[in-house]
Amino acid sequence: MSCGIRKSMSQLTINTMCLLKDEESFMEGNHHLNETWLTKRSCYNSPEFRKPTLELLEDTETVRFAFIRDPIERFVSLYLDKCQKEDSCWSCKSDMRCVVREIYNGLKALQNHRDWKPIPTYMDLHSAPLSWNCNFDKDLAKWSLLMMGSDGEERKSSILQLGNILKRQGVSIDVLEKVQQESMDGETAHSTHKSSRRLDAERQVREDPVVRDYLHKIYFFDYLVFPFSRAPLDAKYQTDFWKIPENR
């Protein structure tokens, strides 16, 4: 079982699960693991593919995996793809300060109204913290977390980890080789790690105090929940400032 987290190799995750569900149909349709959401997949016609059964969720032998990505790197990818490429970021265009402010306000509204469960927007779904996904709040310990990065070596490492999981579960050599080769050689249409605009976006994320303030408010908890380095964060957020001092 897997969970596709948006802007964290979600297309690759879903395509891989489609292949594992029905290898014959996937191969006969000449499908590729880097296909976009526009590609029709037979697996999507199966309700249980999208929503696992209670029996599966409670099965202690079920292996779960999810790709997770440094939250700030993930934001940069989101900004480049959804704001600059798709122009889907409200009326912000490429104004990063506007983008982080709108993301914060949207997620804050969801957080404050969990009782009546408002429907998340397109941008809410793509920008929500990693820890809001996959029911991690209930069973994080059950998941194998594959750490991915923005460069080729980090991507390769996470794909090799996935290969080890599939191999242990008895996946055929042909399928295993297809997953590893296409995952490491190809690119999805939404990939941004080779974008010429990435350096400018990364610079603003490093230097703009307004952007950094919002990003810390939005994603700091992810740095506590998952084993990411806190080195990219401001000095205060690299400490345990949120803890109550022990009485001496």
Side-chain angles (χ1 to χ4, degrees):
M1 184 165 64
S2 186
C3 176
I5 303 174
R6 293 163 179 84
K7 305 313 301 175
S8 190
M9 295 178 76
S10 57
Q11 280 190 168
L12 173 64
T13 299
I14 300 300
N15 286 334
T16 299
M17 296 306 292
C18 282
L19 169 60
L20 296 176
K21 182 179 186 300
D22 191 341
E23 177 183 343
E24 184 177 352
S25 294
F26 199 93
M27 297 296 194
E28 287 181 353
N30 197 28
H31 290 297
H32 194 281
L33 293 181
N34 289 303
E35 291 172 343
T36 70
W37 303 120
L38 297 177
T39 304
K40 292 184 178 179
R41 305 173 179 85
S42 60
C43 56
Y44 270 34
N45 298 325
S46 174
E48 65 270 18
F49 177 80
R50 300 297 300 272
K51 187 175 182 179
T53 63
L54 181 61
E55 181 181 6
L56 182 62
L57 289 172
E58 294 179 345
D59 181 5
T60 58
E61 299 300 318
T62 298
V63 173
R64 311 177 186 206
F65 73 88
F67 288 99
I68 60 171
R69 183 178 195 176
D70 177 272
I72 292 180
E73 286 186 6
R74 179 170 167 256
F75 165 77
V76 171
S77 177
L78 164 74
Y79 170 76
L80 295 173
D81 183 36
K82 303 305 176 187
C83 303
Q84 294 200 359
K85 186 177 179 180
E86 290 187 8
D87 194 17
S88 298
C89 296
W90 305 276
S91 58
C92 295
K93 302 292 184 180
S94 60
D95 183 345
M96 190 182 289
R97 288 188 173 189
C98 174
V99 171
V100 292
R101 182 172 60 250
E102 291 290 348
I103 288 175
Y104 177 79
N105 290 337
L107 296 178
K108 195 70 175 177
L110 288 176
Q111 182 188 54
N112 290 340
H113 297 90
R114 284 179 292 180
D115 291 340
W116 55 273
K117 295 183 179 180
I119 299 175
T121 66
Y122 177 78
M123 288 302 296
D124 290 336
L125 292 170
H126 282 82
S127 62
L130 295 166
S131 50
W132 287 22
N133 288 267
C134 313
N135 289 329
F136 282 147
D137 59 318
K138 299 177 181 178
D139 49 22
L140 178 61
K142 296 180 181 179
W143 289 84
S144 294
L145 302 176
L146 309 181
M147 307 279 286
M148 64 166 290
S150 58
D151 65 35
E153 283 304 309
E154 291 174 319
R155 180 184 174 103
K156 180 178 179 180
S157 176
S158 63
I159 297 300
L160 290 176
Q161 290 180 59
L162 173 58
N164 289 334
I165 291 174
L166 299 181
K167 187 175 181 180
R168 288 196 299 269
Q169 293 307 106
V171 172
S172 70
I173 295 298
D174 289 342
V175 171
L176 182 60
E177 290 180 348
K178 180 178 178 66
V179 170
Q180 292 187 324
Q181 180 177 346
E182 294 185 4
S183 300
M184 287 191 276
D185 292 347
E187 297 288 343
T188 71
H190 298 288
S191 175
T192 63
H193 75 269
K194 294 182 179 179
S195 168
S196 60
R197 297 180 179 180
R198 174 170 282 274
L199 291 179
D200 289 337
E202 290 176 335
R203 177 191 56 75
Q204 185 171 3
V205 163
R206 287 194 306 270
E207 300 175 2
D208 189 322
V210 174
V211 170
R212 292 188 65 79
D213 181 56
Y214 275 109
L215 290 178
H216 283 74
K217 289 177 179 177
I218 297 167
Y219 296 117
F220 175 62
F221 193 66
D222 275 354
Y223 284 93
L224 299 184
V225 173
F226 302 103
F228 297 116
S229 168
R230 278 191 268 162
L233 304 182
D234 292 346
K236 172 185 175 180
Y237 292 89
Q238 296 182 34
T239 70
D240 293 341
F241 72 93
W242 71 94
K243 293 185 177 180
I244 300 175
E246 296 181 1
N247 294 328
R248 295 186 178 180

